[in-house]
Amino acid sequence: GQNIDQPTEMTATEGAIVQINCTYQTSGFNGLFWYQQHAGEAPTFLSYNVLDGLEEKGRFSSFLSRSKGYSYLLLKELQMKDSASYLCAVRARSYSGAGSYQLTFGKGTKLSVIP
Amino acid sequence: DAGITQSPRHKVTETGTPVTLRCHQTENHRYMYWYRQDPGHGLRLIHYSYGVKDTDKGEVSDGYSVSRSKTEDFLLTLESATSSQTSVYFCAISESTGGSANTQYFGPGTRLLVL
């Protein structure tokens, strides 16, 4: 099985930087995804890491350390619209069906941005 | 945004009745997925499809069946709905299962209430 842990809730101030951590334990690791989900809406794709290191995309960056089973999502210059849940998802080999890769999601981190 | 629609968007039904949810895509992606999202559990995979008439079970498949007779449509059926199946159901699609092409894109969701 797989185990993915991320903080339940975080609060940060508008204009600041926040780091959302995700730790995982899995076999057959093949990538890590971050999604953003506003209340009442669908998850939307933010970033993908498969190799160690930092991936930067505008105000958002994501880091992966495969040896430590650790990732973080870094949000810079926080805006009120960044208030949302952030979902960490690990892709690993599925040994059923087509032998494809499947995503397992963490429970999500609810980020509140305050003025 | 990926062309994914779900119907109905909201449904209230009674325990013991059959319910079918539809996911429709216009992207011609091979892989389609059904998830449910519940407080405290995050997104959990119910069933997925890796081609027309090719489906397999996910983590929480009991009480659910699926069918895929066309590339663009993936149906989720609750044969006899129970209150424990009250949830938000998301459909997702991906082009492949390898590399960044495995990125899953989500439909808008269906809110199901079983009384």
Side-chain angles (χ1 to χ4, degrees):
Chain A
Q2 301 181 49
N3 189 36
I4 302 172
D5 288 317
Q6 49 181 132
T8 303
E9 295 185 30
M10 297 183 70
T11 301
T13 304
E14 190 176 16
I17 300 173
V18 70
Q19 178 175 311
I20 302 174
N21 296 324
C22 172
T23 59
Y24 64 89
Q25 294 153 4
T26 188
S27 57
F29 174 85
N30 197 262
L32 189 141
F33 294 77
W34 284 96
Y35 285 82
Q36 180 190 60
Q37 185 177 25
H38 285 100
E41 298 183 7
T44 56
F45 169 71
L46 285 178
S47 69
Y48 164 69
N49 296 70
V50 66
L51 300 176
D52 291 351
L54 189 68
E55 294 282 341
E56 297 186 82
K57 190 184 294 186
R59 295 189 299 114
F60 292 11
S61 302
S62 56
F63 172 84
L64 176 66
S65 170
R66 290 172 295 170
S67 62
K68 296 182 179 179
Y70 168 68
S71 173
Y72 67 73
L73 180 69
L74 193 71
L75 292 74
K76 304 176 185 177
E77 301 170 11
L78 279 173
Q79 302 175 10
M80 298 300 290
K81 68 179 182 179
D82 296 330
S83 292
S85 290
Y86 291 86
L87 315 180
C88 172
V90 172
R91 182 173 71 194
R93 186 81 177 179
S94 170
Y95 293 94
S96 63
S100 59
Y101 295 93
Q102 299 302 335
L103 286 185
T104 299
F105 285 82
K107 296 178 181 179
T109 299
K110 183 179 180 181
L111 174 66
S112 298
V113 180
I114 58 176
Chain B
D1 290 341
I4 314 169
T5 57
Q6 293 184 231
S7 59
R9 295 292 313 280
H10 301 270
K11 185 168 183 68
V12 180
T13 191
E14 293 186 349
T15 298
T17 60
V19 176
T20 296
L21 309 183
R22 179 181 183 239
C23 177
H24 179 78
Q25 59 145 330
T26 58
E27 305 296 322
N28 200 36
H29 283 0
R30 179 181 174 188
Y31 293 84
M32 299 185 76
Y33 311 81
W34 277 108
Y35 291 88
R36 60 178 290 175
Q37 187 174 38
D38 306 287
H41 287 279
L43 281 159
R44 292 179 292 174
L45 182 66
I46 304 171
H47 282 278
Y48 68 98
S49 170
Y50 47 97
V52 173
K53 297 186 179 179
D54 292 322
T55 65
D56 202 1
K57 297 178 179 180
E59 176 188 357
V60 289
S61 60
D62 288 348
Y64 301 95
S65 63
V66 290
S67 65
R68 191 169 178 200
S69 58
K70 298 184 292 185
T71 298
E72 57 266 35
D73 290 326
F74 192 31
L75 304 181
L76 176 71
T77 297
L78 291 66
E79 300 291 348
S80 178
T82 67
S83 59
S84 65
Q85 294 176 311
T86 291
S87 186
V88 180
Y89 291 85
F90 286 102
C91 173
I93 65 173
S94 68
E95 187 174 359
S96 175
T97 61
S100 60
N102 181 228
T103 300
Q104 293 186 20
Y105 297 95
F106 286 81
T110 295
R111 292 184 176 275
L112 176 66
L113 175 60
V114 183
L115 299 175

